[in-house]
């Protein structure tokens, strides 16, 4: 059986509420962007529209997460 590399395996996280989901997603986004830049020198992402990711985007736009992401 072919297995994905551990970093690409799917994981399911059950969280308390939408605010916690947004916080977790924003923290993961920041961590993954930093890791990609360390490994490959860049991070590219396509962001979704609509109302679902709004709270995560708000968290990414303010400190402390906004300071951890190389937006350039």
């Amino acid at each position: 059986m072919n297995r994905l590399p551990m970093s690409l395996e799917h994981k399911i996280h059950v969280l308390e509420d939408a605010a916690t989901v947004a916080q977790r997603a924003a923290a993961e986004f920041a961590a993954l962007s930093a890791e990609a830049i360390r490994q490959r020198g860049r991070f590219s992402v396509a962001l979704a529209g609509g109302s679902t990711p709004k709270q995560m985007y708000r968290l990414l736009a303010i400190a402390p997460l906004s300071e951890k992401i190389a937006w350039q």
Side-chain angles (χ1 to χ4, degrees):
M1 173 167 87
N2 290 336
R3 291 192 52 114
L4 292 171
M6 187 174 256
S7 63
L8 296 178
E9 286 186 15
H10 296 285
K11 297 175 185 172
I12 296 174
H13 301 277
V14 179
L15 303 170
E16 299 82 44
D17 53 32
T20 305
V21 171
Q23 291 169 349
R24 178 73 175 266
E28 289 285 327
F29 182 99
L32 291 170
S33 69
E35 182 63 23
I37 290 169
R38 272 193 297 279
Q39 288 184 6
R40 296 181 294 281
R42 67 185 183 101
F43 177 69
S44 299
V45 64
L47 299 174
S51 62
T52 301
K54 274 186 181 178
Q55 184 59 31
M56 182 185 100
Y57 295 165
R58 283 188 191 106
L59 292 169
L60 290 171
I62 59 173
L65 291 178
S66 64
E67 297 165 350
K68 296 181 179 182
I69 298 169
W71 292 108
Q72 67 281 13

